[in-house]
Amino acid sequence: MHPSAPAAQLVDMLEIRPLSVDCLATARYVIASAIKRHAAAAYTQAQLHALMDFVQSPHYSDLLYAGRSYGAFIGAEMVAVASWSASAAPSPTARLIGVFVQPLFGASGIGARLLAHIEEEARAAGFRALDIGALPGAVGFLEASGYQQIGPRPLGLPSGQQIPVVEMRKLGLARHTVMH
């Protein structure tokens, strides 16, 4: 299916499944592509380079594999990735690591469908809220999905570089109705 197909067709064809270790390289590619497209204007070259190095690192693969990470597939092609994790300490709030859609498939409803899947899973696990340190390009998408801005904060990367993100939260995770 070509990305120019009507969005409803793309979402109908979507299969969401857990990432396997065999999918991690492709997942990092999808994430890097989305970041380059939507975050490049918000960061300096040094910040973007440090972020890309982190996404391509084995440590990032470990984070994806240790969390609850999912790929959205159309046929055999991974077109989006999302991940979340439970809090380290007992808490009613889980952490959304991110939702990343290949740029060619942006604005098709795939990100919203994947986010709804993550939110439903977190709700079913007993969490009442999700927090995220959102990259600037994701703030509008997350606000449209019911997330509220808490404020800016720095995100420290393993290289020592810090990048600004927007801390956001969605309270009252509820069941979603996904329209097909």
Side-chain angles (χ1 to χ4, degrees), residues 1-61:
M1 177 62 55
H2 192 272
S4 65
Q9 275 185 306
L10 291 175
V11 172
D12 285 344
M13 297 180 70
L14 201 64
E15 179 186 351
I16 297 172
R17 57 184 188 247
L19 289 181
S20 70
V21 70
D22 296 332
C23 295
L24 293 177
T26 303
R28 290 186 342 220
Y29 170 79
V30 169
I31 293 165
S33 296
I35 289 171
K36 287 177 187 174
R37 169 81 169 143
H38 298 291
Y43 297 130
T44 66
Q45 285 294 356
Q47 289 170 325
L48 189 60
H49 182 72
L51 184 56
M52 290 297 102
D53 283 349
F54 176 54
V55 168
Q56 296 301 327
S57 73
H59 179 68
Y60 194 81
S61 289

Side-chain angles (χ1 to χ4, degrees), residues 27-108:
R28 290 186 342 220
Y29 170 79
V30 169
I31 293 165
S33 296
I35 289 171
K36 287 177 187 174
R37 169 81 169 143
H38 298 291
Y43 297 130
T44 66
Q45 285 294 356
Q47 289 170 325
L48 189 60
H49 182 72
L51 184 56
M52 290 297 102
D53 283 349
F54 176 54
V55 168
Q56 296 301 327
S57 73
H59 179 68
Y60 194 81
S61 289
D62 291 345
L63 289 173
L64 287 175
Y65 197 64
R68 294 178 175 119
S69 300
Y70 296 89
F73 293 81
I74 296 176
E77 185 173 356
M78 184 185 304
V79 297
V81 176
S83 187
W84 72 282
S85 65
S87 303
S91 169
T93 304
R95 189 90 185 148
L96 178 61
I97 297 166
V99 177
F100 303 94
V101 178
Q102 279 190 28
L104 285 174
F105 293 90
S108 65

